[in-house]
Each structure stands twice: as structure tokens, then as C-alpha cells.
């Protein structure tokens, strides 16, 4: 898609709107309490997903741990970086991926997480599509000194991405049954694949 504005301007505009990870968690808590959701659509299904994600965020924020091998790599990272995350409150993958991202960022003061809503920033989202899709959560890693894109990550950790791609290749699309299996995979993985992926990216 042709961008009507320079990508640097698009990113800077998004950063002005961005909130912190903790503010995003508080937003989800508020939305769940008021039977609402982020995004352009306020359907019953998306509201229910937001309420489910509120419980997931709460659980992972309390229980998720960073393994020692990943921690050793994370603390070495010296480049001041902002992780700009495109997401929505109803996104099932985000409820598992973002708490793991936050645990990584908490270990290194050089990593700062900022969050924006996908539907509020279509130009930014369209500049960072995944296989032509507006898939979230999408992390845009920006060097603070240059404000240039260092890397991207998402919407899913590497093992989950392979599961999804293999299933699509075999069956053509993701079924409700597969999506339930994917949630079980996330629950079993406990954020470790995301943490390991991010630790690997920080080596670059």
C-alpha cells in the first residue's frame, strides 16, 4: 500500500498517542468492567474477548517468569530502544505475548514499551503488515537515538507461527478447534517462546 505520509512522520504521530504497558492493562480492566472494547467494532464477541483477555493479562502479569538463559542475554542489551506495539484489547495473541514482552522490558532499562491501538493508526499498521494482513500484536522496535526501525516482531512467537502456518497449509484456514488448541499451546508454553524470541532479537 502506498503511504501518503513519510513513515518517520507516521511513527512520530503514533508515539504521541502511545500509552505505557501498565496504562494499557488498566484500560483493559476498565473496558472489561464496563462491558466494552477497543477498536472500531463493539460487537458482543469482541467485548467477550476483551473480558477474557483481562483475566489472561492479570494471570500472566502475576505468574510469568523469565528463564535464566534468556535473562542473561536480556540484561546485556545496551541500545536504548522503544518497542511500539500495535494491538487491541480483544486480541487473543496479545494477551499471551504482551505480558512476556513486558517481563523482558522490566529487566532492562534500555527497553521502553509504548502501546497504540491498531484501528486508530491504520497508516502505521499498513506499513507493517504480516503477509498482507493487519495482524496484531505487532511490535516495531525503534532505536531511540535515530528513531529508525531496528526490527519488528509478531504477531505470534516463532513456534506458534509455525503451528498456524502448518495448519493453514494443510487445511486452508484456521478453525475454531485449532484456535482452542493454540490457546492451550500458549497456556502450556507460559510465555517462554516469546521471551526466547525476544532475547534472540536483542543479540543482533
Amino acid at each position: 500500500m502506498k503511504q501518503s505520509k513519510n513513515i518517520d512522520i507516521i511513527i512520530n504521530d503514533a508515539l504521541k498517542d502511545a500509552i505505557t504497558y501498565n496504562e494499557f492493562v488498566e484500560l483493559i480492566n476498565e473496558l472489561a468492567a464496563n462491558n466494552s472494547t477497543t477498536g472500531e467494532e463493539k460487537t458482543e464477541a469482541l467485548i467477550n474477548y476483551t473480558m477474557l483477555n483481562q483475566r489472561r493479562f492479570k494471570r500472566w502479569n502475576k505468574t510469568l517468569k523469565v528463564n535464566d538463559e534468556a535473562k542473561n542475554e536480556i540484561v546485556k542489551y545496551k541500545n536504548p530502544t522503544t518497542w511500539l506495539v500495535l494491538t487491541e484489547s480483544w486480541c487473543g495473541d496479545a494477551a499471551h505475548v504482551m505480558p512476556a514482552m513486558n517481563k523482558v522490558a522490566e529487566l532492562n532499562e534500555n527497553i521502553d514499551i509504548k502501546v497504540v491501538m491498531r484501528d486508530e493508526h491504520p497508516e502505521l499498521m499498513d506499513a507493517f503488515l504480516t503477509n498482507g494482513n493487519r495482524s496484531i500484536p505487532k511490535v516495531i522496535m525503534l532505536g531511540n537515538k535515530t528513531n529508525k526501525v531496528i526490527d519488528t516482531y509478531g504477531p505470534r512467537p516463532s513456534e506458534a507461527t509455525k503451528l498456524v502456518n502448518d495448519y493453514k497449509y494443510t487445511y486452508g484456514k484456521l478453525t475454531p478447534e485449532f484456535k482452542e488448541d493454540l490457546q492451550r499451546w500458549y497456556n502450556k508454553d507460559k510465555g517462554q517462546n516469546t521471551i526466547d524470541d525476544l532475547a534472540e532479537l536483542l543479540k543482533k
Side-chain angles (χ1 to χ4, degrees), residues 11 77 79-85 101 104 111-112 128 138-144 146-154 197-199 201-202 204:
I11 289 171
Y77 189 68
N79 185 21
T81 305
T82 296
W83 289 358
L84 180 59
V85 187
M101 287 173 41
V104 170
I111 303 169
D112 185 26
F128 295 95
K138 190 73 171 188
V139 187
I140 305 161
M141 300 175 175
L142 304 166
N144 289 354
T146 63
N147 218 33
K148 298 297 183 184
V149 178
I150 299 171
D151 215 327
T152 63
Y153 183 74
D197 284 349
L198 292 171
L201 283 177
L202 293 176
K204 293 183 180 180

